Amino acid sequence: MELLPYEEFSALRLQQFLPPDAEINDYECDRQTWKCEYHEIFDESTLFCFADNPPTTLSGIGTDLGEGGLPFEIGEAILRTVRLPVNTRATRDELIAKFGKPEYCWLDDGPEATREGLDFLRFDVSGRWPYKVAFTVRLEAGGLTRFFIARKDFWVDEG
């Protein structure tokens, strides 16, 4: 599976997915899951992270979906644009079928590790342009509540 080439990924901007009157803010990053020097943020739920400032190299995208996050149709547009082969209605089983065994998931830590009926799954997506992708998904009915995609060359190992 080939996701968006890094050059095209870096050309993405949050405003292309939002209504023209949406208020986009910026702030400096205080966490380092992937290399971040600058953010575009919308409604405290959606981040476009850049490895540099001024922002030219997009390193990752993270967003909440639904109540308290982006509308599902905007989430769908982002997923399509970065060529992730899932939609916002995906189930845990569908994610594993598309991406293989997760590199990490909450359920691997035992059923008590799930949070409020959710599971978090993180995958390595290889190819010419490798990425880390992760999804928080409802266990009962399926459907994403959050996802992120980050360039693997900007990923910060936790170990």
Side-chain angles (χ1 to χ4, degrees), residues 38-49:
Y38 180 86
H39 288 85
E40 292 177 347
I41 185 170
F42 172 71
D43 202 24
E44 296 185 32
S45 68
T46 303
L47 297 170
F48 274 50
C49 305

Side-chain angles (χ1 to χ4, degrees), residues 68-143:
L70 283 182
F72 289 104
E73 58 272 9
I74 295 175
E76 295 278 349
I78 294 171
L79 291 170
R80 277 191 312 274
T81 299
V82 297
R83 300 182 186 158
L84 280 168
V86 295
N87 61 46
T88 60
R89 298 173 306 284
T91 65
R92 182 181 193 279
D93 291 341
E94 289 170 341
L95 294 170
I96 292 171
K98 292 282 185 190
F99 299 105
K101 182 180 183 339
E103 174 232 336
Y104 172 81
C105 77
W106 285 340
L107 284 182
D108 284 347
D109 293 334
E112 66 282 352
T114 63
R115 283 112 170 133
E116 302 171 9
L118 302 172
D119 193 10
F120 172 85
L121 302 102
R122 187 173 62 218
F123 302 90
D124 284 316
V125 179
S126 296
R128 186 187 236 170
W129 303 282
Y131 287 90
K132 290 270 190 179
V133 296
F135 307 92
T136 304
V137 61
R138 290 180 198 86
L139 288 170
E140 290 292 316

